[in-house]
Amino acid sequence: MLKQIETRRSVRKYLDKKVENEKLLKLLESARLAPSGSNTQPWTFIIIESEDTKEKLSIADHNQKWMMTAPIFIVCVADIRCRISMEAKVRLDEGSSEPELKQIIRDTAIAIEHILLEAEHQGLATCWTAWFEQDVVRPILNIPDDKYVCGIITVGYGAEIPKQRPRKSMDEIVRYEKW
């Protein structure tokens, strides 16, 4: 697995080549198997292949035109209802104060990372994007106000291999026993 972690990059240019359904299903299966706090599994994934919907999402995602080269978008949505009752009135956005929001974002982020690593294992390229506001992206897909879009993953066969970005040394990020 360390090989896929080392070689995974955020790719922003894709080949005009369809992703096989079997590979897409493996990405989704890897997310389904991700761990979550109290096994809540707060995630839902929306597969987007429609050019019209992809264009609307790329515009909502800070007008990132490069996204349109990817054949598939996976919209990753976290559901707070796994942690609070259906009766509780809640509206989620970037300024929400609900502590459960942090938990569902954390858990969905784990599932997203599973997708990214499985894609690398399958020979696919990805980029996790999230340069959007909830009020702009949710209406495009009829996502309710009590759900939180954690990211849009572009998926396809990479037409580029970006260089590895600088990483901090182990000495800079690891402490033993105390700070």
Side-chain angles (χ1 to χ4, degrees):
M1 177 59 75
L2 195 55
K3 179 184 182 291
Q4 283 82 22
I5 294 169
E6 289 175 343
T7 58
R8 198 213 73 77
R9 302 283 186 274
S10 292
V11 170
R12 291 176 178 83
K13 188 175 181 182
Y14 296 88
L15 298 175
D16 185 18
K17 180 178 177 183
K18 184 171 173 37
V19 173
E20 299 86 347
N21 196 51
E22 308 80 53
K23 289 187 176 188
L24 177 60
L25 290 175
K26 286 181 181 178
L27 303 186
L28 298 169
E29 178 67 3
S30 73
R32 188 184 74 82
L33 296 172
S36 60
S38 302
N39 198 33
T40 52
Q41 304 172 57
W43 45 72
T44 298
F45 303 98
I46 305 171
I47 309 306
I48 308 296
E49 295 180 280
S50 154
E51 292 298 313
D52 181 57
T53 305
K54 288 181 353 184
E55 183 174 20
K56 289 175 183 172
L57 289 170
S58 69
I59 291 168
D61 202 351
H62 214 78
N63 202 28
Q64 297 186 77
K65 295 181 186 346
W66 65 264
M67 293 173 67
M68 292 303 295
T69 66
I72 295 175
F73 292 3
I74 302 175
V75 179
C76 308
V77 183
D79 186 356
I80 202 165
R81 294 302 176 183
C82 68
R83 295 202 169 269
I84 63 173
S85 74
M86 290 298 287
E87 291 77 36
K89 195 132 172 95
V90 65
R91 183 178 185 290
L92 301 178
D93 62 26
E94 291 75 17
S96 296
S97 61
E98 288 80 5
E100 298 88 357
L101 178 57
K102 294 174 189 166
Q103 295 168 325
I104 64 167
I105 290 172
R106 172 203 62 210
D107 291 346
T108 304
I110 295 168
I112 292 170
E113 183 65 8
H114 275 52
I115 290 172
L116 301 180
L117 293 175
E118 181 60 28
E120 183 69 20
H121 179 71
Q122 293 296 324
L124 298 169
T126 58
C127 188
W128 177 352
T129 72
W131 201 5
F132 52 78
E133 292 183 16
Q134 298 298 307
D135 287 344
V136 178
V137 78
R138 277 195 302 238
I140 296 168
L141 302 173
N142 298 319
I143 298 170
D145 287 346
D146 64 347
K147 310 298 183 250
Y148 191 88
V149 180
C150 291
I152 301 170
I153 303 172
T154 57
V155 181
Y157 287 94
E160 64 178 2
I161 302 174
K163 292 180 185 175
Q164 184 175 19
R165 309 252 338 241
R167 308 308 302 166
K168 291 181 178 180
S169 71
M170 292 291 272
D171 291 342
E172 292 176 276
I173 65 167
V174 177
R175 306 277 186 268
Y176 290 94
E177 305 299 335
K178 59 183 178 180
W179 189 263

